[in-house]
Amino acid sequence: MTGTESDSLDRLSPGVTAVIAALDFEEADRVRLMELGFIPGSSVSCQRVVPMGDLAIFQVEGTQVALRKETAARITLQPSSTTRNPDADSG
Amino acid sequence: MPTAVEAQTETRQSLPGKNRAVAICGPPNVGKSSFFNRLTGLRQKVANYPGITVEKRVGSLRLKDGGQVDLIDLPGIVGMHPRSEDERICVEILRGRSDTLPRPVAAILLLDSTNLQAHLRMVPGILGLGLPTLVVLNMADELEARGGSVDVEAVSAQIGAPVVLASAVTGTGMKEVLRFVQGSFAPPRKVELPVINNIPAERKWAHSVAARSSYHTPEPSLWGRRLDRAFLHPVAGPLIFLAVVIAVFQSIFTLAVPLMDAVESAISVSAGWIGALLPDSMLKGLLLDGVWGGVGSVVVFLPQILILFLFIGLLEDSGYLARAAVIADRSMRSVGLEGRSFIPLLSSYACAIPAVMAARTIENQRDRLATLLIAPLTTCSARLPVYALLIAAFIPERPLLGPFLGTRAAVLLGLYAAGFFAACGTAWLLKSIVLKSKPAPFVLQLPAYRWPTICSLAFRLIDRAKIFLRRAGTVILVTTIVLWFLASVPYQDGEPPPIGESLAGSIGRTIEPLVEPLGLNWKIGIGLITSLAAREVIVGTLGTIYGMEADEGSPALQQALQSELSFGGAIALLMYFAFAMQCMSTVAIVRRETGGWKWPAIQFAYMLVLAYATGFAAYRVFG
């Protein structure tokens, strides 16, 4: 997978790391997601997709967070920032 | 061990007043509750899940100089922008805007040393409050074990507040924490902190502080990843979940049996002693039949309740519960609730009251209302004595899945499932008719897996045993004594009347037409009334009623029930208890949380109709 401008978090395959560019939410939701680590500039990796339901588990700012696909779709990634590294950690 | 605390203690501040409060705050899952236990030794619920410590907990610490410090354990926060009710409480107390608690004189900010860059981001917000603050980097043992390290002095110099590397599990660094609490408070030194509330700037600052403190990130825990692979596996995950649930229910019956036998014989032996000591009198009757018979028949269930809580504690403290929430999200979603409602619902398996309060962690007010309305439908531990008694009396034990699952555990599991599905169905009704709302983004932090400590499990069990015995000693004792008097008057020729002719008997006969369609007689009817105080009271009530009726020693309650109830009636009674809101404390707490009588009244009526209808149907089918 290579980064394009339209890349969003929901399209990140397991084992791939990228850098967060922006969050498209209303202010309160945006702040909450940032407080949980989804901060523009943070690197995020997809750890696994949970096939039951539409959740994916991400590693961001040292913690594991589960997001629904529809939420992940509104977090955009910096173009060409993706790297394949299953054990990538932020920081 | 030299620490940065000493450097800060020079600017001492004398503080007036005897009860100084120190607040313990920090993000969820940093071991805050264990830390609190370590400091105060007070009973405290340890959770490995965001948002479960809803109520603030205060413990006092005696100081060597005879003074006292109150420690407040605050709910976890991820920033200074509270969204749910419990986060709001935390921030209010820290800012000194709480009505019930005075502003703390100092704060302890607890962070996870194994995830320092991310957690240091909390520092500017907390130091910005201007309180003397000690920053505790907890889980030092884990940091070391996984090959990480940090220069504590360097962190302290950069943030302008004392810093201690500590471990609530091993006790490392706790001496320094105590020294801070003893009163050497100094306001934070002025250092350049990033603009508060600019999260990207805070993140950048936190990363650079970590880098300049030669922070060595610990190796990621590999077995945590392996566990996730199994627990969140598409096929294995749900199967493991099911196996865990079955194991819990099976052991409630098998493991508890010898313990329950021991409690039972202790009660009957002691009843024999009392009987031998006291002369025949009304007092003897009250003590033996009323108190020992009634309260004793409830206390017998203590082992089963403790086993249930031991398992809940293991699941919660180990971090498995959050994975279960991920697996449950789909089903929660199909009824219109978010996965987060799963947590209050899960704690309502213990008791609906903390669950109703835990619903405060849900940000969406309509989801919160829906969650607290359905919480009493899930099977709380007060139902367990009722279920256990009826199942033991009416369901013969036969193996179903070899040694793994017997008929009794299966029926119990079925009753729990019935409560769960009734809760889900009701949620769906509520969400699709009266409480429609736009879904908020679903975000759930998965805490790292940890070995539950014996200490924290012990604290939970002691806590539960106390609550259960306190109820047995108050609510159950009082209703039992009142009932005993009602059953003993009016005297006939100087003798207590047969129970059918007593005051309790005539009350029972008055309501008998109401319970007859469920296959129940007036004795059970009395139990349904007394158990409005608390569900398990019915066991004590029946113990008193049947205990008094028996002339030659008291027959086992089970045998008495077998001769009084048909199989269909027993199933109807189980259904009634599964669905009815037989708990005045829950009604009261729902009234408090919703701010009026409207919702608790609707809830009570709805559950009563559901209970009566299913009970009636069950009696028709099985009777």
Side-chain angles (χ1 to χ4, degrees):
Chain A
M1 175 166 153
T2 49
T4 64
E5 271 177 73
S6 61
D7 264 356
S8 53
L9 195 53
D10 62 314
R11 294 168 58 183
L12 210 58
S13 322
V16 178
T17 302
V19 177
I20 293 170
L23 287 82
D24 172 30
F25 295 92
E26 35 181 279
E27 187 57 18
D29 292 342
R30 205 172 71 91
V31 168
R32 174 42 50 106
L33 282 164
M34 286 203 292
E35 286 180 333
L36 289 168
F38 295 90
I39 307 166
S42 291
S43 62
V44 57
S45 67
C46 178
Q47 286 207 321
R48 70 188 64 249
V49 175
V50 186
M52 294 249 318
D54 46 5
L55 290 171
I57 295 169
F58 299 98
Q59 173 94 20
V60 65
E61 292 288 323
T63 47
Q64 276 184 295
V65 184
L67 288 187
R68 277 183 188 155
K69 281 269 164 101
E70 71 206 23
T71 309
R74 292 161 72 179
I75 299 176
T76 52
L77 302 173
Q78 282 180 14
S80 318
S81 66
T82 57
T83 49
R84 183 169 280 280
N85 177 6
D87 283 317
D89 228 329
S90 63
Chain B
M1 188 195 289
T3 58
V5 175
E6 275 140 313
Q8 294 292 326
T9 52
E10 293 148 20
T11 37
R12 274 171 188 268
Q13 222 181 313
S14 61
L15 288 140
K18 41 186 190 328
N19 271 25
R20 297 164 298 177
V22 174
I24 304 173
C25 59
N29 304 314
V30 295
K32 221 147 42 63
S33 300
S34 316
F35 181 81
F36 183 70
N37 281 343
R38 185 103 201 177
L39 277 179
T40 66
L42 189 91
R43 60 202 177 82
Q44 159 73 14
K45 198 170 174 180
V46 186
N48 209 350
Y49 202 92
I52 207 133
T53 318
V54 168
E55 289 232 292
K56 61 188 191 265
R57 311 220 173 201
V58 182
S60 48
L61 198 66
R62 291 226 163 270
L63 303 177
K64 279 184 201 136
D65 61 16
Q68 190 176 316
V69 169
D70 282 344
L71 287 170
I72 316 171
D73 182 25
L74 295 177
I77 44 169
V78 290
M80 301 306 281
H81 302 85
R83 286 192 68 184
S84 61
E85 207 69 23
D86 62 332
E87 292 170 333
R88 214 159 311 173
I89 291 167
C90 177
V91 174
E92 266 175 19
I93 291 175
L94 285 175
R95 291 195 197 280
R97 291 194 194 135
S98 161
D99 305 329
T100 47
L101 280 175
R103 186 167 202 221
V105 293
I108 294 175
L109 173 61
L110 205 63
L111 303 176
D112 180 355
S113 65
T114 67
N115 189 13
L116 200 60
Q117 296 104 321
H119 279 182
L120 279 174
R121 202 181 51 68
M122 295 285 298
V123 167
I126 299 292
L127 291 189
L129 298 168
L131 289 172
T133 304
L134 173 70
V135 177
V136 176
L137 310 180
N138 197 17
M139 307 195 182
D141 51 327
E142 216 177 304
L143 179 75
E144 200 183 332
R146 279 160 49 193
S149 60
V150 63
D151 179 352
V152 175
E153 303 285 340
V155 179
S156 175
Q158 288 175 84
I159 67 178
V163 179
V164 175
L165 190 61
S167 165
V169 177
T170 63
T172 314
M174 296 308 279
K175 240 190 263 165
E176 284 75 17
V177 174
L178 275 177
R179 200 174 312 149
F180 175 81
V181 174
Q182 304 245 337
S184 44
F185 304 126
R189 221 171 46 241
K190 294 262 179 282
V191 291
E192 197 73 31
L193 292 174
V195 184
I196 297 170
N197 291 348
N198 179 342
I199 295 176
E202 286 173 358
R203 169 185 174 271
K204 238 178 165 171
W205 174 84
H207 279 245
S208 88
V209 169
R212 275 184 275 154
S213 311
S214 31
Y215 180 60
H216 196 301
T217 314
E219 295 297 316
S221 133
L222 281 177
W223 55 282
R225 212 160 272 205
R226 286 192 200 119
L227 285 177
D228 267 352
R229 203 169 296 155
F231 291 152
L232 299 174
H233 188 273
V235 182
L239 285 179
I240 292 173
F241 181 69
L242 207 65
V244 166
V245 173
I246 286 178
V248 172
F249 285 96
Q250 186 60 32
S251 48
I252 284 176
F253 275 99
T254 50
L255 283 182
V257 168
L259 294 168
M260 291 174 72
D261 287 347
V263 176
E264 200 159 18
S265 56
I267 290 168
S268 67
V269 167
S270 56
W273 290 344
I274 296 173
L277 278 175
L278 291 174
D280 277 344
S281 68
M282 190 159 167
L283 182 71
K284 180 179 177 178
L286 171 66
L287 267 178
L288 276 187
D289 301 327
V291 175
W292 239 246
V295 176
S297 53
V298 180
V299 171
V300 167
F301 294 96
L302 182 63
Q304 287 187 320
I305 287 187
L306 291 187
I307 287 175
L308 177 70
F309 279 98
L310 177 66
F311 278 102
I312 291 181
L314 281 171
L315 297 182
E316 228 174 74
D317 289 356
S318 64
Y320 178 72
L321 215 54
R323 276 74 186 179
V326 166
I327 289 182
D329 179 62
R330 196 199 184 117
S331 34
M332 295 308 295
R333 197 176 198 198
S334 61
V335 299
L337 289 173
E338 55 170 319
R340 208 165 314 162
S341 301
F342 180 76
I343 310 311
L345 286 186
L346 227 131
S347 62
S348 70
Y349 280 94
C351 175
I353 293 164
V356 166
M357 293 193 293
R360 287 180 191 166
T361 58
I362 299 167
E363 292 151 16
N364 182 313
Q365 286 307 306
R366 292 183 159 211
D367 280 2
R368 176 180 168 222
L369 187 55
T371 304
L372 67 85
L373 288 178
I374 64 174
L377 280 167
T378 55
T379 310
C380 66
S381 59
R383 286 173 172 103
L384 190 56
V386 188
Y387 288 176
L389 173 68
L390 289 168
I391 288 174
F394 288 92
I395 309 291
E397 177 70 339
R398 279 194 215 100
L400 275 184
L401 283 176
F404 303 110
L405 183 67
T407 38
R408 287 183 174 169
V411 170
L412 186 66
L413 196 56
L415 285 164
Y416 274 71
F420 178 75
F421 288 116
C424 288
T426 307
W428 179 81
L429 270 178
L430 282 168
K431 289 292 295 173
S432 48
I433 300 168
V434 274
L435 296 170
K436 288 182 203 167
S437 65
K438 204 176 67 181
F442 171 77
V443 194
L444 182 72
Q445 265 187 347
L446 302 182
Y449 290 101
R450 298 220 163 83
W451 280 113
T453 63
I454 292 180
C455 173
S456 85
L457 290 174
F459 268 115
R460 276 166 184 274
L461 293 190
I462 292 169
D463 199 13
R464 276 301 142 186
K466 271 189 193 163
I467 292 173
F468 182 78
L469 293 177
R470 198 182 303 138
R471 269 163 77 112
T474 53
V475 182
I476 298 172
L477 181 65
V478 169
T479 41
T480 305
I481 291 176
V482 169
L483 179 80
W484 184 84
F485 272 111
L486 289 179
S488 306
V489 289
Y491 263 42
Q492 295 174 349
D493 311 322
E495 289 281 309
I499 184 132
E501 288 162 33
S502 68
L503 197 52
S506 45
I507 295 172
R509 286 194 200 285
T510 316
I511 61 158
E512 193 167 28
L514 287 174
V515 296
E516 218 176 355
L518 305 187
L520 308 177
N521 61 23
W522 59 270
K523 290 175 193 162
I524 311 282
I526 296 175
L528 294 185
I529 294 177
T530 55
S531 64
L532 278 171
R535 288 182 179 89
E536 63 269 42
V537 166
I538 191 172
V539 177
T541 299
L542 296 178
T544 306
I545 293 178
Y546 290 120
M548 293 173 79
E549 238 193 358
D551 290 332
E552 298 136 33
S554 124
L557 195 46
Q558 290 179 23
Q559 286 162 12
L561 280 173
Q562 281 162 355
S563 63
E564 289 277 327
L565 267 179
S566 65
F567 181 72
I571 302 295
L573 189 57
L574 283 173
M575 286 294 141
Y576 185 85
F577 270 91
F579 299 127
M581 196 171 178
Q582 290 281 99
C583 180
M584 284 306 123
S585 325
T586 311
V587 174
I589 200 87
V590 172
R591 195 204 72 86
R592 202 186 80 190
E593 294 287 309
T594 58
W597 283 108
K598 179 182 148 197
W599 287 109
I602 293 173
Q603 188 178 25
F604 187 85
Y606 170 80
M607 289 177 67
L608 188 63
V609 169
L610 190 64
Y612 200 88
T614 49
F616 181 77
Y619 182 54
R620 292 282 124 177
V621 173
F622 296 103

